[in-house]
PDB file of all heavy atoms in Angstrom:
ATOM      1  N   VAL A   1     101.113 186.578  49.096  1.00 98.00           N
ATOM      2  CA  VAL A   1     102.481 186.962  48.679  1.00 98.00           C
ATOM      3  C   VAL A   1     102.705 186.813  47.260  1.00 98.00           C
ATOM      4  O   VAL A   1     103.392 187.623  46.606  1.00 98.00           O
ATOM      5  CB  VAL A   1     103.575 186.170  49.518  1.00 98.00           C
ATOM      6  CG1 VAL A   1     104.953 186.491  49.025  1.00 98.00           C
ATOM      7  CG2 VAL A   1     103.384 186.532  51.002  1.00 98.00           C
ATOM      8  N   ALA A   2     102.228 185.816  46.602  1.00 97.00           N
ATOM      9  CA  ALA A   2     102.448 185.523  45.217  1.00 97.00           C
ATOM     10  C   ALA A   2     101.922 186.677  44.343  1.00 97.00           C
ATOM     11  O   ALA A   2     102.547 187.130  43.372  1.00 97.00           O
ATOM     12  CB  ALA A   2     101.863 184.210  44.804  1.00 97.00           C
ATOM     13  N   THR A   3     100.655 187.126  44.640  1.00 97.00           N
ATOM     14  CA  THR A   3     100.027 188.137  43.825  1.00 97.00           C
ATOM     15  C   THR A   3     100.231 189.600  44.318  1.00 97.00           C
ATOM     16  O   THR A   3     100.035 190.509  43.594  1.00 97.00           O
ATOM     17  CB  THR A   3      98.556 187.882  43.694  1.00 97.00           C
ATOM     18  OG1 THR A   3      97.915 187.995  45.012  1.00 97.00           O
ATOM     19  CG2 THR A   3      98.286 186.472  43.200  1.00 97.00           C
ATOM     20  N   GLY A   4     100.614 189.678  45.600  1.00 97.00           N
ATOM     21  CA  GLY A   4     100.660 190.975  46.254  1.00 97.00           C
ATOM     22  C   GLY A   4      99.276 191.643  46.481  1.00 97.00           C
ATOM     23  O   GLY A   4      99.190 192.847  46.731  1.00 97.00           O
ATOM     24  N   LYS A   5      98.241 190.840  46.435  1.00 97.00           N
ATOM     25  CA  LYS A   5      96.882 191.367  46.531  1.00 97.00           C
ATOM     26  C   LYS A   5      96.403 191.095  47.991  1.00 97.00           C
ATOM     27  O   LYS A   5      96.662 190.077  48.586  1.00 97.00           O
ATOM     28  CB  LYS A   5      95.978 190.651  45.528  1.00 97.00           C
ATOM     29  CG  LYS A   5      96.324 190.900  44.087  1.00 97.00           C
ATOM     30  CD  LYS A   5      96.065 192.362  43.645  1.00 97.00           C
ATOM     31  CE  LYS A   5      96.360 192.605  42.168  1.00 97.00           C
ATOM     32  NZ  LYS A   5      95.529 191.707  41.282  1.00 97.00           N
ATOM     33  N   ARG A   6      95.565 192.010  48.398  1.00 97.00           N
ATOM     34  CA  ARG A   6      94.937 191.878  49.681  1.00 97.00           C
ATOM     35  C   ARG A   6      93.731 190.856  49.561  1.00 97.00           C
ATOM     36  O   ARG A   6      92.976 190.947  48.615  1.00 97.00           O
ATOM     37  CB  ARG A   6      94.394 193.203  50.183  1.00 97.00           C
ATOM     38  CG  ARG A   6      93.714 193.144  51.534  1.00 97.00           C
ATOM     39  CD  ARG A   6      93.522 194.556  52.110  1.00 97.00           C
ATOM     40  NE  ARG A   6      92.783 194.528  53.415  1.00 97.00           N
ATOM     41  CZ  ARG A   6      92.618 195.532  54.187  1.00 97.00           C
ATOM     42  NH1 ARG A   6      93.126 196.739  53.845  1.00 97.00           N
ATOM     43  NH2 ARG A   6      91.917 195.450  55.314  1.00 97.00           N
ATOM     44  N   MET A   7      93.690 189.950  50.511  1.00 98.00           N
ATOM     45  CA  MET A   7      92.595 188.940  50.511  1.00 98.00           C
ATOM     46  C   MET A   7      91.365 189.550  51.183  1.00 98.00           C
ATOM     47  O   MET A   7      91.411 190.635  51.670  1.00 98.00           O
ATOM     48  CB  MET A   7      93.050 187.670  51.225  1.00 98.00           C
ATOM     49  CG  MET A   7      94.265 187.019  50.484  1.00 98.00           C
ATOM     50  SD  MET A   7      95.038 185.602  51.389  1.00 98.00           S
ATOM     51  CE  MET A   7      93.657 184.453  51.306  1.00 98.00           C
ATOM     52  N   THR A   8      90.275 188.747  51.136  1.00 97.00           N
ATOM     53  CA  THR A   8      88.984 189.297  51.712  1.00 97.00           C
ATOM     54  C   THR A   8      88.993 189.341  53.225  1.00 97.00           C
ATOM     55  O   THR A   8      88.196 190.080  53.790  1.00 97.00           O
ATOM     56  CB  THR A   8      87.821 188.504  51.184  1.00 97.00           C
ATOM     57  OG1 THR A   8      88.043 187.103  51.589  1.00 97.00           O
ATOM     58  CG2 THR A   8      87.708 188.537  49.691  1.00 97.00           C
ATOM     59  N   ASP A   9      89.900 188.577  53.896  1.00 98.00           N
ATOM     60  CA  ASP A   9      89.843 188.543  55.325  1.00 98.00           C
ATOM     61  C   ASP A   9      90.264 189.881  55.917  1.00 98.00           C
ATOM     62  O   ASP A   9      91.380 190.337  55.756  1.00 98.00           O
ATOM     63  CB  ASP A   9      90.792 187.445  55.835  1.00 98.00           C
ATOM     64  CG  ASP A   9      90.493 186.092  55.210  1.00 98.00           C
ATOM     65  OD1 ASP A   9      90.813 185.881  53.990  1.00 98.00           O
ATOM     66  OD2 ASP A   9      89.967 185.280  55.929  1.00 98.00           O
ATOM     67  N   THR A  10      89.376 190.488  56.738  1.00 97.00           N
ATOM     68  CA  THR A  10      89.671 191.705  57.445  1.00 97.00           C
ATOM     69  C   THR A  10      88.976 191.572  58.788  1.00 97.00           C
ATOM     70  O   THR A  10      87.792 191.406  58.877  1.00 97.00           O
ATOM     71  CB  THR A  10      89.085 192.945  56.731  1.00 97.00           C
ATOM     72  OG1 THR A  10      89.706 193.089  55.449  1.00 97.00           O
ATOM     73  CG2 THR A  10      89.408 194.206  57.471  1.00 97.00           C
ATOM     74  N   LEU A  11      89.838 191.656  59.842  1.00 98.00           N
ATOM     75  CA  LEU A  11      89.341 191.469  61.189  1.00 98.00           C
ATOM     76  C   LEU A  11      89.504 192.734  62.021  1.00 98.00           C
ATOM     77  O   LEU A  11      90.587 193.386  61.926  1.00 98.00           O
ATOM     78  CB  LEU A  11      90.086 190.305  61.857  1.00 98.00           C
ATOM     79  CG  LEU A  11      90.132 189.002  60.953  1.00 98.00           C
ATOM     80  CD1 LEU A  11      91.059 187.986  61.596  1.00 98.00           C
ATOM     81  CD2 LEU A  11      88.782 188.525  60.811  1.00 98.00           C
ATOM     82  N   LYS A  12      88.543 193.104  62.782  1.00 96.00           N
ATOM     83  CA  LYS A  12      88.619 194.341  63.621  1.00 96.00           C
ATOM     84  C   LYS A  12      87.575 194.322  64.692  1.00 96.00           C
ATOM     85  O   LYS A  12      86.604 193.499  64.609  1.00 96.00           O
ATOM     86  CB  LYS A  12      88.431 195.550  62.742  1.00 96.00           C
ATOM     87  CG  LYS A  12      87.199 195.562  61.832  1.00 96.00           C
ATOM     88  CD  LYS A  12      87.197 196.749  60.908  1.00 96.00           C
ATOM     89  CE  LYS A  12      86.029 196.763  59.990  1.00 96.00           C
ATOM     90  NZ  LYS A  12      86.063 197.829  59.033  1.00 96.00           N
ATOM     91  N   PRO A  13      87.795 195.054  65.772  1.00 96.00           N
ATOM     92  CA  PRO A  13      88.918 196.010  65.948  1.00 96.00           C
ATOM     93  C   PRO A  13      90.128 195.274  66.603  1.00 96.00           C
ATOM     94  O   PRO A  13      89.861 194.337  67.405  1.00 96.00           O
ATOM     95  CB  PRO A  13      88.340 197.039  66.936  1.00 96.00           C
ATOM     96  CG  PRO A  13      87.316 196.265  67.761  1.00 96.00           C
ATOM     97  CD  PRO A  13      86.758 195.232  66.830  1.00 96.00           C
ATOM     98  N   VAL A  14      91.287 195.653  66.227  1.00 97.00           N
ATOM     99  CA  VAL A  14      92.541 195.146  66.775  1.00 97.00           C
ATOM    100  C   VAL A  14      93.420 196.278  67.209  1.00 97.00           C
ATOM    101  O   VAL A  14      93.416 197.329  66.652  1.00 97.00           O
ATOM    102  CB  VAL A  14      93.261 194.164  65.862  1.00 97.00           C
ATOM    103  CG1 VAL A  14      92.403 193.003  65.457  1.00 97.00           C
ATOM    104  CG2 VAL A  14      93.703 194.891  64.529  1.00 97.00           C
ATOM    105  N   TRP A  15      94.268 196.082  68.230  1.00 94.00           N
ATOM    106  CA  TRP A  15      95.344 196.933  68.551  1.00 94.00           C
ATOM    107  C   TRP A  15      96.509 196.645  67.615  1.00 94.00           C
ATOM    108  O   TRP A  15      96.899 195.532  67.454  1.00 94.00           O
ATOM    109  CB  TRP A  15      95.734 196.733  69.984  1.00 94.00           C
ATOM    110  CG  TRP A  15      96.655 197.780  70.520  1.00 94.00           C
ATOM    111  CD1 TRP A  15      98.015 197.608  70.763  1.00 94.00           C
ATOM    112  CD2 TRP A  15      96.410 199.128  70.959  1.00 94.00           C
ATOM    113  NE1 TRP A  15      98.597 198.764  71.242  1.00 94.00           N
ATOM    114  CE2 TRP A  15      97.642 199.669  71.400  1.00 94.00           C
ATOM    115  CE3 TRP A  15      95.216 199.865  71.027  1.00 94.00           C
ATOM    116  CZ2 TRP A  15      97.672 200.978  71.956  1.00 94.00           C
ATOM    117  CZ3 TRP A  15      95.286 201.159  71.546  1.00 94.00           C
ATOM    118  CH2 TRP A  15      96.507 201.737  71.959  1.00 94.00           C
ATOM    119  N   ASP A  16      97.083 197.658  67.000  1.00 92.00           N
ATOM    120  CA  ASP A  16      97.928 197.401  65.816  1.00 92.00           C
ATOM    121  C   ASP A  16      99.290 196.707  66.162  1.00 92.00           C
ATOM    122  O   ASP A  16     100.037 196.449  65.251  1.00 92.00           O
ATOM    123  CB  ASP A  16      98.063 198.609  64.961  1.00 92.00           C
ATOM    124  CG  ASP A  16      98.980 199.710  65.567  1.00 92.00           C
ATOM    125  OD1 ASP A  16      99.420 199.537  66.741  1.00 92.00           O
ATOM    126  OD2 ASP A  16      99.218 200.734  64.905  1.00 92.00           O
ATOM    127  N   GLU A  17      99.602 196.557  67.452  1.00 92.00           N
ATOM    128  CA  GLU A  17     100.844 195.866  67.741  1.00 92.00           C
ATOM    129  C   GLU A  17     100.636 194.352  67.905  1.00 92.00           C
ATOM    130  O   GLU A  17     101.634 193.619  68.093  1.00 92.00           O
ATOM    131  CB  GLU A  17     101.493 196.465  69.014  1.00 92.00           C
ATOM    132  CG  GLU A  17     100.757 196.143  70.303  1.00 92.00           C
ATOM    133  CD  GLU A  17     101.415 196.824  71.481  1.00 92.00           C
ATOM    134  OE1 GLU A  17     101.948 197.936  71.362  1.00 92.00           O
ATOM    135  OE2 GLU A  17     101.358 196.192  72.563  1.00 92.00           O
ATOM    136  N   PHE A  18      99.418 193.879  67.986  1.00 94.00           N
ATOM    137  CA  PHE A  18      99.145 192.459  68.162  1.00 94.00           C
ATOM    138  C   PHE A  18      99.034 191.820  66.765  1.00 94.00           C
ATOM    139  O   PHE A  18      98.067 192.047  66.021  1.00 94.00           O
ATOM    140  CB  PHE A  18      97.826 192.267  68.913  1.00 94.00           C
ATOM    141  CG  PHE A  18      98.052 192.625  70.408  1.00 94.00           C
ATOM    142  CD1 PHE A  18      97.449 193.835  70.883  1.00 94.00           C
ATOM    143  CD2 PHE A  18      98.705 191.844  71.256  1.00 94.00           C
ATOM    144  CE1 PHE A  18      97.627 194.204  72.190  1.00 94.00           C
ATOM    145  CE2 PHE A  18      98.850 192.228  72.603  1.00 94.00           C
ATOM    146  CZ  PHE A  18      98.321 193.354  73.121  1.00 94.00           C
ATOM    147  N   ALA A  19      99.974 190.940  66.535  1.00 95.00           N
ATOM    148  CA  ALA A  19     100.081 190.321  65.217  1.00 95.00           C
ATOM    149  C   ALA A  19      99.325 188.989  65.136  1.00 95.00           C
ATOM    150  O   ALA A  19      98.985 188.396  66.149  1.00 95.00           O
ATOM    151  CB  ALA A  19     101.538 190.067  64.874  1.00 95.00           C
ATOM    152  N   ALA A  20      99.000 188.532  63.941  1.00 97.00           N
ATOM    153  CA  ALA A  20      98.486 187.244  63.723  1.00 97.00           C
ATOM    154  C   ALA A  20      99.559 186.161  64.059  1.00 97.00           C
ATOM    155  O   ALA A  20     100.707 186.313  63.758  1.00 97.00           O
ATOM    156  CB  ALA A  20      98.050 187.036  62.205  1.00 97.00           C
ATOM    157  N   ASN A  21      99.146 185.047  64.633  1.00 98.00           N
ATOM    158  CA  ASN A  21     100.032 183.885  64.897  1.00 98.00           C
ATOM    159  C   ASN A  21      99.551 182.735  64.038  1.00 98.00           C
ATOM    160  O   ASN A  21      98.513 182.118  64.380  1.00 98.00           O
ATOM    161  CB  ASN A  21     100.012 183.562  66.379  1.00 98.00           C
ATOM    162  CG  ASN A  21     100.758 184.605  67.209  1.00 98.00           C
ATOM    163  OD1 ASN A  21     102.043 184.673  67.106  1.00 98.00           O
ATOM    164  ND2 ASN A  21     100.090 185.407  68.013  1.00 98.00           N
ATOM    165  N   TRP A  22     100.283 182.387  63.018  1.00 98.00           N
ATOM    166  CA  TRP A  22      99.814 181.471  62.010  1.00 98.00           C
ATOM    167  C   TRP A  22      99.780 180.020  62.463  1.00 98.00           C
ATOM    168  O   TRP A  22     100.667 179.583  63.174  1.00 98.00           O
ATOM    169  CB  TRP A  22     100.652 181.603  60.718  1.00 98.00           C
ATOM    170  CG  TRP A  22     100.454 182.849  59.989  1.00 98.00           C
ATOM    171  CD1 TRP A  22     101.094 184.101  60.193  1.00 98.00           C
ATOM    172  CD2 TRP A  22      99.441 183.060  58.933  1.00 98.00           C
ATOM    173  NE1 TRP A  22     100.574 185.013  59.315  1.00 98.00           N
ATOM    174  CE2 TRP A  22      99.590 184.449  58.571  1.00 98.00           C
ATOM    175  CE3 TRP A  22      98.485 182.264  58.314  1.00 98.00           C
ATOM    176  CZ2 TRP A  22      98.764 185.027  57.591  1.00 98.00           C
ATOM    177  CZ3 TRP A  22      97.714 182.857  57.352  1.00 98.00           C
ATOM    178  CH2 TRP A  22      97.818 184.206  57.003  1.00 98.00           C
ATOM    179  N   LEU A  23      98.810 179.300  61.893  1.00 97.00           N
ATOM    180  CA  LEU A  23      98.778 177.836  62.073  1.00 97.00           C
ATOM    181  C   LEU A  23      99.839 177.251  61.194  1.00 97.00           C
ATOM    182  O   LEU A  23     100.158 177.795  60.130  1.00 97.00           O
ATOM    183  CB  LEU A  23      97.355 177.311  61.748  1.00 97.00           C
ATOM    184  CG  LEU A  23      96.167 177.846  62.518  1.00 97.00           C
ATOM    185  CD1 LEU A  23      94.895 177.212  62.063  1.00 97.00           C
ATOM    186  CD2 LEU A  23      96.368 177.585  64.053  1.00 97.00           C
ATOM    187  N   PRO A  24     100.332 176.050  61.558  1.00 96.00           N
ATOM    188  CA  PRO A  24     101.400 175.454  60.723  1.00 96.00           C
ATOM    189  C   PRO A  24     101.030 175.179  59.299  1.00 96.00           C
ATOM    190  O   PRO A  24     101.883 175.355  58.390  1.00 96.00           O
ATOM    191  CB  PRO A  24     101.673 174.078  61.462  1.00 96.00           C
ATOM    192  CG  PRO A  24     101.254 174.354  62.894  1.00 96.00           C
ATOM    193  CD  PRO A  24     100.124 175.278  62.793  1.00 96.00           C
ATOM    194  N   ASP A  25      99.808 174.917  58.980  1.00 96.00           N
ATOM    195  CA  ASP A  25      99.393 174.622  57.601  1.00 96.00           C
ATOM    196  C   ASP A  25      98.936 175.873  56.875  1.00 96.00           C
ATOM    197  O   ASP A  25      98.606 175.811  55.645  1.00 96.00           O
ATOM    198  CB  ASP A  25      98.256 173.580  57.536  1.00 96.00           C
ATOM    199  CG  ASP A  25      96.995 174.047  58.258  1.00 96.00           C
ATOM    200  OD1 ASP A  25      96.975 175.113  58.746  1.00 96.00           O
ATOM    201  OD2 ASP A  25      96.021 173.203  58.271  1.00 96.00           O
ATOM    202  N   GLY A  26      98.998 177.070  57.497  1.00 97.00           N
ATOM    203  CA  GLY A  26      98.698 178.290  56.829  1.00 97.00           C
ATOM    204  C   GLY A  26      97.186 178.454  56.560  1.00 97.00           C
ATOM    205  O   GLY A  26      96.776 179.390  55.878  1.00 97.00           O
ATOM    206  N   SER A  27      96.320 177.582  57.171  1.00 97.00           N
ATOM    207  CA  SER A  27      94.850 177.682  56.905  1.00 97.00           C
ATOM    208  C   SER A  27      94.184 178.800  57.694  1.00 97.00           C
ATOM    209  O   SER A  27      93.054 179.152  57.480  1.00 97.00           O
ATOM    210  CB  SER A  27      94.224 176.390  57.272  1.00 97.00           C
ATOM    211  OG  SER A  27      94.342 176.076  58.639  1.00 97.00           O
ATOM    212  N   GLY A  28      94.946 179.340  58.637  1.00 98.00           N
ATOM    213  CA  GLY A  28      94.343 180.404  59.490  1.00 98.00           C
ATOM    214  C   GLY A  28      95.337 180.824  60.525  1.00 98.00           C
ATOM    215  O   GLY A  28      96.578 180.494  60.442  1.00 98.00           O
ATOM    216  N   PHE A  29      94.860 181.568  61.518  1.00 98.00           N
ATOM    217  CA  PHE A  29      95.790 182.090  62.538  1.00 98.00           C
ATOM    218  C   PHE A  29      95.013 182.388  63.798  1.00 98.00           C
ATOM    219  O   PHE A  29      93.832 182.579  63.869  1.00 98.00           O
ATOM    220  CB  PHE A  29      96.535 183.300  62.033  1.00 98.00           C
ATOM    221  CG  PHE A  29      95.641 184.355  61.413  1.00 98.00           C
ATOM    222  CD1 PHE A  29      94.909 185.181  62.172  1.00 98.00           C
ATOM    223  CD2 PHE A  29      95.554 184.467  60.009  1.00 98.00           C
ATOM    224  CE1 PHE A  29      94.135 186.186  61.609  1.00 98.00           C
ATOM    225  CE2 PHE A  29      94.729 185.391  59.448  1.00 98.00           C
ATOM    226  CZ  PHE A  29      94.017 186.282  60.245  1.00 98.00           C
ATOM    227  N   PHE A  30      95.765 182.416  64.881  1.00 98.00           N
ATOM    228  CA  PHE A  30      95.293 183.002  66.177  1.00 98.00           C
ATOM    229  C   PHE A  30      95.535 184.508  66.158  1.00 98.00           C
ATOM    230  O   PHE A  30      96.518 184.957  65.589  1.00 98.00           O
ATOM    231  CB  PHE A  30      96.061 182.398  67.332  1.00 98.00           C
ATOM    232  CG  PHE A  30      96.008 180.877  67.415  1.00 98.00           C
ATOM    233  CD1 PHE A  30      97.117 180.103  67.273  1.00 98.00           C
ATOM    234  CD2 PHE A  30      94.760 180.231  67.709  1.00 98.00           C
ATOM    235  CE1 PHE A  30      97.120 178.728  67.290  1.00 98.00           C
ATOM    236  CE2 PHE A  30      94.742 178.877  67.755  1.00 98.00           C
ATOM    237  CZ  PHE A  30      95.888 178.095  67.650  1.00 98.00           C
ATOM    238  N   TYR A  31      94.622 185.218  66.794  1.00 98.00           N
ATOM    239  CA  TYR A  31      94.827 186.690  66.893  1.00 98.00           C
ATOM    240  C   TYR A  31      94.126 187.219  68.100  1.00 98.00           C
ATOM    241  O   TYR A  31      93.254 186.554  68.667  1.00 98.00           O
ATOM    242  CB  TYR A  31      94.365 187.385  65.613  1.00 98.00           C
ATOM    243  CG  TYR A  31      92.851 187.524  65.425  1.00 98.00           C
ATOM    244  CD1 TYR A  31      92.178 188.695  65.685  1.00 98.00           C
ATOM    245  CD2 TYR A  31      92.112 186.405  65.006  1.00 98.00           C
ATOM    246  CE1 TYR A  31      90.791 188.782  65.510  1.00 98.00           C
ATOM    247  CE2 TYR A  31      90.720 186.502  64.803  1.00 98.00           C
ATOM    248  CZ  TYR A  31      90.059 187.650  65.083  1.00 98.00           C
ATOM    249  OH  TYR A  31      88.716 187.727  64.919  1.00 98.00           O
ATOM    250  N   THR A  32      94.479 188.456  68.483  1.00 98.00           N
ATOM    251  CA  THR A  32      93.920 189.109  69.676  1.00 98.00           C
ATOM    252  C   THR A  32      93.001 190.198  69.190  1.00 98.00           C
ATOM    253  O   THR A  32      93.491 191.072  68.446  1.00 98.00           O
ATOM    254  CB  THR A  32      94.948 189.618  70.613  1.00 98.00           C
ATOM    255  OG1 THR A  32      95.742 188.524  71.081  1.00 98.00           O
ATOM    256  CG2 THR A  32      94.344 190.336  71.805  1.00 98.00           C
ATOM    257  N   ARG A  33      91.771 190.210  69.669  1.00 98.00           N
ATOM    258  CA  ARG A  33      90.858 191.197  69.252  1.00 98.00           C
ATOM    259  C   ARG A  33      90.365 192.086  70.410  1.00 98.00           C
ATOM    260  O   ARG A  33      90.184 191.562  71.564  1.00 98.00           O
ATOM    261  CB  ARG A  33      89.535 190.541  68.612  1.00 98.00           C
ATOM    262  CG  ARG A  33      88.589 191.493  67.968  1.00 98.00           C
ATOM    263  CD  ARG A  33      87.179 190.870  67.796  1.00 98.00           C
ATOM    264  NE  ARG A  33      87.221 189.593  67.015  1.00 98.00           N
ATOM    265  CZ  ARG A  33      86.120 188.822  66.907  1.00 98.00           C
ATOM    266  NH1 ARG A  33      85.005 189.114  67.515  1.00 98.00           N
ATOM    267  NH2 ARG A  33      86.207 187.676  66.233  1.00 98.00           N
ATOM    268  N   MET A  34      90.123 193.302  70.172  1.00 96.00           N
ATOM    269  CA  MET A  34      89.569 194.195  71.187  1.00 96.00           C
ATOM    270  C   MET A  34      88.072 193.999  71.194  1.00 96.00           C
ATOM    271  O   MET A  34      87.469 193.566  70.179  1.00 96.00           O
ATOM    272  CB  MET A  34      89.882 195.671  70.816  1.00 96.00           C
ATOM    273  CG  MET A  34      91.373 195.961  70.717  1.00 96.00           C
ATOM    274  SD  MET A  34      91.720 197.672  70.226  1.00 96.00           S
ATOM    275  CE  MET A  34      91.228 198.516  71.713  1.00 96.00           C
ATOM    276  N   ARG A  35      87.477 194.411  72.276  1.00 92.00           N
ATOM    277  CA  ARG A  35      85.988 194.360  72.335  1.00 92.00           C
ATOM    278  C   ARG A  35      85.419 195.589  71.567  1.00 92.00           C
ATOM    279  O   ARG A  35      86.069 196.615  71.425  1.00 92.00           O
ATOM    280  CB  ARG A  35      85.457 194.340  73.765  1.00 92.00           C
ATOM    281  CG  ARG A  35      85.878 195.503  74.601  1.00 92.00           C
ATOM    282  CD  ARG A  35      85.455 195.314  76.043  1.00 92.00           C
ATOM    283  NE  ARG A  35      86.029 196.339  76.936  1.00 92.00           N
ATOM    284  CZ  ARG A  35      85.438 197.534  77.120  1.00 92.00           C
ATOM    285  NH1 ARG A  35      84.321 197.811  76.550  1.00 92.00           N
ATOM    286  NH2 ARG A  35      86.013 198.341  77.945  1.00 92.00           N
ATOM    287  N   ASP A  36      84.229 195.472  71.070  1.00 85.00           N
ATOM    288  CA  ASP A  36      83.635 196.550  70.367  1.00 85.00           C
ATOM    289  C   ASP A  36      83.360 197.663  71.421  1.00 85.00           C
ATOM    290  O   ASP A  36      82.798 197.434  72.435  1.00 85.00           O
ATOM    291  CB  ASP A  36      82.325 196.142  69.731  1.00 85.00           C
ATOM    292  CG  ASP A  36      82.520 195.212  68.592  1.00 85.00           C
ATOM    293  OD1 ASP A  36      83.533 195.337  67.876  1.00 85.00           O
ATOM    294  OD2 ASP A  36      81.687 194.280  68.372  1.00 85.00           O
ATOM    295  N   VAL A  37      83.824 198.891  71.039  1.00 75.00           N
ATOM    296  CA  VAL A  37      83.676 200.048  71.989  1.00 75.00           C
ATOM    297  C   VAL A  37      82.229 200.522  71.953  1.00 75.00           C
ATOM    298  O   VAL A  37      81.611 200.709  70.877  1.00 75.00           O
ATOM    299  CB  VAL A  37      84.641 201.178  71.539  1.00 75.00           C
ATOM    300  CG1 VAL A  37      84.443 202.335  72.473  1.00 75.00           C
ATOM    301  CG2 VAL A  37      86.007 200.623  71.628  1.00 75.00           C
TER     302      VAL A  37
END
């Protein structure tokens, strides 16, 4: 948010309505991933 820059973390494949659920300390998040087709 401070820089407005995209970080290196890119996770896929995901269904685009399933959002990241952040850990309280911001060190990471839970997320839902699709299986590789």
Side-chain angles (χ1 to χ4, degrees):
V1 174
T3 64
K5 299 288 182 64
R6 182 168 175 171
M7 299 173 64
T8 57
D9 305 75
T10 298
L11 310 173
K12 55 187 177 182
V14 298
W15 188 257
D16 72 357
E17 69 181 35
F18 289 103
N21 287 291
W22 287 90
L23 301 179
D25 62 1
S27 64
F29 48 79
F30 303 112
Y31 73 104
T32 299
R33 187 198 305 172
M34 303 177 70
R35 59 187 173 85
D36 292 324
V37 178

